[in-house]
C-alpha cells in the first residue's frame, strides 16, 4: 500500500537527502546530489524500483518516531509482542562519500529483525551486479557503486534481486548498517565508524541549533523548519533546493507533477530574511553568494531556477517506467519552466541584494553593477507579458505580481541610491520607472467593482500572490484596495480555511487539466496579510491551523487537501517552511529575533 506523503521523514547530509517511511523503508534517495538519479525510487513506483526496509519481522509501521533533539537523526521505536526495538537513521555530513547509516538497538525483550535492500540505479531502472567481498556486499552498475556492511556482521543473502539480512536484538545489543556510495571507477572510500558518526552528527546539529537567536513563541516549530531548510542546503555552494523530491503530485492521480530538486531565485528574499532573522548569517551569506554566482552574465539570460551548483541546463524528461506516486503519472526529471520568462524574479533578486545590504552583509564589489544591469534589462521589458510566478503553461499574460515586483526592483534601487549616494546610478530614472509601473498596475490590475486586484490585466480571476502587495510596500496596509484584495482572496480562493494559489477552473490561464490542493505558502501569506492589516487574532488562529498540518516530525509538503486531510506536492517543501518561519517571527512582533 502506498504510504501517505506525510508518512515520510527526512534525513540528509547537506548534499542530498532520503525519505524514510513509518514502515522503516527508505523509498527515495538520490546519490550523490539532490538532483542525481535516484537509487531508491519506490516513492514513485513500487519496491522493485528500489528501497531499503529495516523493521521487525512481520511488523507494519513503527509505534512512534521523532528526531533526536534538534537534529536530523531520526529515531523510530517499534513495540512488538516479543519486545521493543529502536532504529536510528541518519546521514553524517560527508568528507568524501555519502553514507546512509541505520543503527538497530534492542530496548526490551527479544526482537527478530529483517533488512531488505533493493538497489536500483537510474531512478529504479537498473538492477546492479551484487557481489560479496571482504564480508561486505558491493553493488555496481555503470558509474555507480554502493557498499553495504553491518557491524557486527549478520546473516545476509541474495534473494530475488535483493540483499536480505536477518538478526535478533536483545536489550543493549546493537547492529549498525552502513551504505556507502562512490563512483565505480574509484577505490572504495575509507570506512566510517557508525557510532562515532552518530556522536558527531548529534553534536554538529546541537551546535548549529544553538546558534538560533529566536526565543519567542513557536520556537519548536521555527527551529524544526530552520533545520529542514539547512537540510535542503547544498553545502558546497550554499544553494537551497525547493524540495528533495520530484513528481509528488499536487492532485492524486493528476498530471501536476514537477521536479523541485533545484534552486529557485524566487525564494531568495524570503529565505534571506528567515535566515538573517534567526541569526544564521553564515547561511544567509552563502545563499547570497550562490545567488550572485548563479545570475552572473547577460541579464537577458536570467533564469528562474538553477541547479544546486548554479547549473543552467535542466531539460525536462518523462520516465515512463515509473507509474508515479499513487499512480500519478507522468514522473518528470528536469523542469521546462527553466526556459520561461518570469519578470518577477528580477525584482526578487534586487530585493534580496537590498535586504542583504540592509542586514549588514558585506556587499560584493560587483553586486551593485549586476543589479544595475538587471534593472536596465527590466526597464525595457517590464511591459511585456510573461508566464508569472506560478509557471503556468498556458499563454503569457500581464500578471499583476510580475508588475508589482518590477516596481519593487525600481523602488529598491531608489532606496539604495538614497542611502548611499556614492554608488553609481540615476535615482531619478528609477523613480520614473517606479511611478509608471505603479500607475499602470493600479489602473489595469485593479477591479473597482469588486475592490480587489486581479491575477492579470483585465482578468476577473484572483491570485494569492496579490496578498504580498502590502508586504513589499507597493501600497500601505490600510489602503482600502489592500483590505479588499485580502478579503476577496480569502473568500474566492479559500479552501477549507486555507488558500489556493489561483483558480484552476480556467484552463487557458493554467494550461493544465485537473485541480490542486491549498497552497501552504500562500496561506502563510494570508496570515501575514491579516496581521499587517490589524487582524492579529485571525492571523494567530490561521497560523495555529497551519502548525497543526505538520506531520508527526514537523514537516510540510507544498500543498494540503482539506477534504481528504492529505499533504500534497513535493516534500518537504522549503517554501512552506520559509513561510512558517516568517509568519512566526511576524507574530512574535520581533522581525530581528533578538
Amino acid at each position: 500500500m502506498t504510504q501517505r506523503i506525510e508518512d515520510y521523514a527526512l534525513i540528509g547530509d547537506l548534499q542530498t537527502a532520503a525519505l524514510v517511511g513509518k514502515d522503516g523503508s527508505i523509498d527515495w534517495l538520490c546519490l550523490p546530489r539532490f538532483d542525481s538519479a535516484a537509487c531508491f525510487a519506490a516513492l514513485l513506483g513500487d519496491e522493485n524500483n528500489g528501497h531499503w526496509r529495516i523493521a521487525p519481522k512481520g511488523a507494519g509501521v513503527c509505534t512512534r518516531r521523532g528526531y533526536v533533539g534538534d537534529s536530523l537523526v531520526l529515531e523510530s521505536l517499534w513495540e512488538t509482542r516479543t519486545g521493543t526495538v529502536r532504529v536510528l537513521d541518519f546521514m553524517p555530513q560527508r568528507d568524501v562519500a555519502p553514507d546512509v547509516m541505520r543503527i538497530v538497538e534492542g530496548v526490551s525483550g527479544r526482537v527478530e529483525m529483517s533488512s531488505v535492500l533493493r538497489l536500483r540505479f537510474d531512478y529504479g531502472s537498473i538492477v546492479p551486479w551484487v557481489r560479496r567481498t571482504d564480508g561486505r556486499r558491493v553493488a555496481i552498475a555503470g558509474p555507480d557503486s554502493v557498499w553495504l556492511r553491518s557491524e557486527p556482521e549478520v546473516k545476509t543473502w541474495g534473494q530475488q534481486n535483493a540483499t536480505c539480512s536477518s538478526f535478533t536484538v536483545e536489550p543493549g545489543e546493537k547492529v549498525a548498517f552502513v551504505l556507502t556510495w562512490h563512483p565505480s571507477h574509484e577505490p572504495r572510500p575509507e570506512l566510517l565508524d557508525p557510532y562515532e558518526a552518530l556522536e558527531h552528527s548529534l553534536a554538529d546539529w546541537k551546535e548549529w541549533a544553538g546558534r538560533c537567536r529566536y526565543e519567542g513563541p513557536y520556537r519548536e516549530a521555527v527551529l524544526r523548519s530552520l533545520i529542514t531548510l539547512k537540510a535542503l542546503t547544498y553545502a558546497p555552494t550554499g544553494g537551497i533546493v525547493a524540495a528533495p523530491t520530484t513528481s509528488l503530485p499536487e492532485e492524486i492521480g493528476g498530471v501536476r507533477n514537477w521536479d523541485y530538486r533545484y534552486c529557485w531565485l524566487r525564494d531568495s528574499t524570503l529565505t534571506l530574511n528567515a535566515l538573517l532573522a534567526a541569526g544564521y548569517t553564515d547561511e544567509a551569506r552563502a545563499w547570497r553568494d550562490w545567488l550572485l554566482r548563479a545570475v552572473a552574465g547577460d541579464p537577458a539570460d536570467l533564469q528562474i531556477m538553477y541547479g544546486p551548483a548554479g547549473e543552467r541546463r535542466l531539460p525536462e524528461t518523462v520516465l515512463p517506467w515509473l507509474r508515479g506516486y499513487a499512480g500519478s503519472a507522468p514522473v518528470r526529471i528536469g523542469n521546462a519552466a527553466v526556459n520561461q520568462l518570469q519578470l518577477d524574479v528580477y525584482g526578487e533578486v534586487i530585493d534580496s541584494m537590498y535586504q542583504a545590504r540592509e542586514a549588514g552583509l558585506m556587499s560584493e564589489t560587483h553586486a551593485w553593477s549586476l543589479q544595475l544591469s538587471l534593472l536596465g534589462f527590466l526597464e525595457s521589458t517590464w511591459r511585456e507579458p510573461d508566464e508569472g510566478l506560478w509557471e503556468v503553461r498556458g499563454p503569457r499574460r500581464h500578471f499583476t505580481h510580475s508588475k508589482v515586483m518590477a516596481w519593487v526592483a525600481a523602488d529598491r534601487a531608489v532606496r539604495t541610491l538614497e542611502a548611499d549616494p556614492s554608488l553609481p546610478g540615476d535615482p531619478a530614472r528609477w523613480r520614473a520607472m517606479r511611478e509608471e509601473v505603479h500607475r499602470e498596475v493600479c489602473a489595469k490590475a485593479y477591479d473597482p467593482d469588486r475592490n480587489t486586484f486581479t491575477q492579470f490585466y483585465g482578468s476577473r480571476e484572483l491570485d494569492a500572490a496579490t496578498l504580498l502587495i502590502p508586504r513589499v510596500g507597493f501600497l500601505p496596509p490600510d489602503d482600502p484596495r489592500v483590505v479588499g484584495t485580502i478579503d476577496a482572496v480569502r473568500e474566492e480562493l479559500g479552501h477549507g480555511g486555507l488558500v489556493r494559489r489561483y483558480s484552476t477552473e480556467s484552463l487557458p490561464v493554467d494550461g493544465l487539466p485537473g485541480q490542486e490542493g491549498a497552497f501552504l505558502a500562500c496561506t502563510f501569506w494570508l496570515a501575514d496579510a491579516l496581521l499587517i492589516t490589524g487582524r492579529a487574532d485571525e492571523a494567530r488562529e490561521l497560523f495555529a491551523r497551519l502548525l497543526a498540518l505538520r506531520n508527526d516530525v514537523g514537516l510540510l509538503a507544498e500543498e494540503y487537501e482539506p477534504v481528504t486531510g492529505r499533504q500534497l506536492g513535493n516534500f518537504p517543501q522549503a517554501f512552506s517552511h520559509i513561510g512558517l518561519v516568517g509568519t512566526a517571527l511576524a507574530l512574535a512582533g520581533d522581525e530581528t529575533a533578538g
Side-chain angles (χ1 to χ4, degrees), residues 175-234:
V175 176
F177 289 85
V178 180
L179 182 145
T180 305
W181 178 94
H182 70 98
S184 59
H185 65 278
E186 294 182 359
R188 186 188 69 192
E190 181 180 348
L191 301 180
L192 296 182
D193 182 289
Y195 301 104
E196 289 184 2
L198 175 61
E199 290 182 8
H200 290 156
S201 291
L202 290 172
D204 288 344
W205 280 110
K206 182 178 180 180
E207 185 277 331
W208 189 87
R211 290 163 47 201
C212 181
R213 288 208 314 253
Y214 178 73
E215 296 292 345
Y218 320 112
R219 176 176 165 82
E220 176 273 329
V222 167
L223 188 51
R224 178 50 55 188
S225 289
L226 290 168
I227 290 170
T228 303
L229 292 175
K230 180 67 172 177
L232 298 179
T233 301
Y234 184 64

Side-chain angles (χ1 to χ4, degrees), residues 325-348:
Y325 174 84
S328 305
V331 170
R332 297 180 174 96
I333 59 170
N335 200 313
V338 71
N339 298 314
Q340 290 186 350
L341 175 64
Q342 297 179 24
L343 294 172
D344 64 295
V345 298
Y346 291 85
E348 275 121 16

